Amino acid sequence: MKTLSFLLVLVSTTTFSQSLLWKVSGNGLKKPSYLFGIYHIMKDSYLNQNPKIKSAYEGAEGVVVETEVDSSAMLSMAMRGLMLDKSLDKLLSQTDYQLVADEFKKGTGYDLALFNQMKPIVTATMLSLAYVQKESDTLNSFTGLPLDLYFASDGRKRQKTVSALETMEEQMAFLFDHDPVEKQAQNLVEMVKEKDDMHDMSKSVTELYLKQDLQGMWKMNEKSGNTFGNMTYLLDERNHNWMKRLPGLMASRPTFVAVGALHLPGPQGLVELLKKEGYQVEPQ
């Protein structure tokens, strides 16, 4: 989703096939599993025009998503997003704060003062999501649930085994706590100053996704440079963590793995990491 993926800095020049769906076989697997790169805010009616993806999902006995909503962790997650002893207006100069406030109001319709004690990366996430939604009429034409929520809920209805690669708390720790709030605040200012580039990226991302152009998405992230600080950890560290679980999940049953599209490419991407473990990973 833009909230995570398109704030990431990517540094490889690896060429990558134009496909979001990858077949994983070999290395002792009795039946193949599938790896699918999702766009987190794409709705599930998208699958109606992609029979290969739908078939791979329906044929799998297990479903794996990044995380699932855990109502018992919601309070903890909300608290993790707060700065109890700091505020954004104190982390920024008056000029920078006003710059961000004006853009935040324009983008989201909310007063920044309402989020003054939220960690700056929460504000950045909200703003980047607003950019995507405003720039993409095509995205708004799809209906249903966001893809990852759909696969988890529909998978249970179909009596598939549904697994998550990380808890909500683990995912939020990566996003909220990896960098100090002072760095997050400065990155937020830089993001607003480079808003034209952000708008351009937001306008392109849905088109690239609909073309299943993973290479194009990869190149766009390379071009985006240091838009919001070095956040490769959101991909690389999590990919390596997930590789501790994925082999066992795929060995137990043919599995459909649905994770953010930018977790697939690159030297630390899941496709390469699976290949290094001895699997055959082929675009479909």
Side-chain angles (χ1 to χ4, degrees):
M1 106 190 196
K2 175 72 175 178
T3 56
L4 294 180
S5 299
F6 287 93
L7 296 176
L8 300 173
V9 178
L10 303 176
V11 293
S12 172
T13 55
T14 302
T15 350
F16 217 68
S17 297
Q18 188 165 308
S19 178
L20 297 172
L21 182 67
W22 296 71
K23 180 181 177 181
V24 183
S25 60
N27 199 24
L29 294 183
K30 295 178 181 178
K31 294 182 179 179
S33 288
Y34 288 88
L35 180 63
F36 173 51
I38 67 173
Y39 184 18
H40 292 283
I41 56 176
M42 179 67 75
K43 301 296 180 60
D44 67 74
S45 67
Y46 165 79
L47 299 173
N48 295 335
Q49 62 189 45
N50 291 276
K52 282 187 178 181
I53 297 170
K54 201 168 184 178
S55 176
Y57 162 67
E58 291 177 352
E61 296 175 12
V63 175
V64 172
V65 293
E66 292 184 18
T67 191
E68 287 196 85
V69 176
D70 178 0
S71 57
S72 66
M74 293 299 287
L75 178 60
S76 172
M77 186 181 75
M79 293 299 293
R80 192 183 286 278
L82 288 174
M83 301 184 289
L84 297 178
D85 56 347
K86 297 179 182 179
S87 59
L88 187 60
D89 61 347
K90 297 295 189 293
L91 292 172
L92 299 178
S93 68
Q94 185 176 352
T95 301
D96 284 345
Y97 182 84
Q98 193 59 51
L99 178 73
V100 174
D102 290 345
E103 182 65 13
F104 191 74
K105 179 71 172 181
K106 180 181 176 183
T108 69
Y110 294 111
D111 291 326
L112 186 61
L114 296 172
F115 302 89
N116 199 33
Q117 286 192 279
M118 298 299 293
K119 290 179 180 176
I121 199 164
V122 177
T123 304
T125 295
M126 292 178 64
L127 188 55
S128 64
L129 181 58
Y131 287 158
V132 173
Q133 291 174 330
K134 288 188 176 183
E135 293 292 342
S136 179
D137 292 334
T138 304
L139 184 65
N140 296 327
S141 70
F142 291 97
T143 59
L145 293 172
L147 284 174
D148 41 3
L149 294 179
Y150 168 78
F151 288 129
S153 61
D154 187 74
R156 284 204 166 83
K157 288 178 184 176
R158 295 172 183 261
Q159 297 186 321
K160 298 179 187 291
T161 300
V162 179
S163 305
L165 291 168
E166 59 195 12
T167 65
M168 282 179 61
E169 289 188 343
E170 287 171 335
Q171 188 175 86
M172 292 304 104
F174 272 104
L175 185 62
F176 293 162
D177 298 336
H178 190 277
D179 289 333
V181 292
E182 292 79 8
K183 182 178 178 182
Q184 293 180 28
Q186 291 307 312
N187 288 338
L188 173 61
V189 173
E190 290 305 310
M191 175 184 167
V192 171
K193 288 180 177 178
E194 297 179 22
K195 63 182 180 181
D196 290 341
D197 290 338
M198 293 292 291
H199 279 290
D200 289 343
M201 284 169 40
S202 299
K203 199 170 183 178
S204 301
V205 60
T206 302
E207 180 182 351
L208 290 169
Y209 189 83
L210 290 174
K211 291 179 179 178
Q212 300 199 31
D213 188 355
L214 199 58
Q215 176 71 359
M217 295 166 69
W218 177 259
K219 287 180 178 178
M220 186 174 69
N221 275 276
E222 285 187 312
K223 186 177 179 181
S224 74
N226 221 5
T227 302
F228 196 72
N230 190 330
M231 296 175 70
T232 54
Y233 61 86
L234 284 174
L235 295 177
D236 297 350
E237 291 184 27
R238 292 166 75 212
N239 285 348
H240 283 278
N241 285 342
W242 295 350
M243 283 298 297
K244 297 172 185 176
R245 297 203 63 200
L246 278 176
L249 290 168
M250 293 188 300
S252 61
R253 60 186 60 84
T255 298
F256 183 85
V257 182
V259 295
L262 284 176
H263 285 281
L264 274 60
Q268 305 302 318
L270 292 176
V271 169
E272 288 301 317
L273 294 179
L274 286 165
K275 286 181 178 179
K276 287 178 182 176
E277 290 294 317
Y279 297 96
Q280 293 178 347
V281 190
E282 305 163 298
Q284 299 299 290

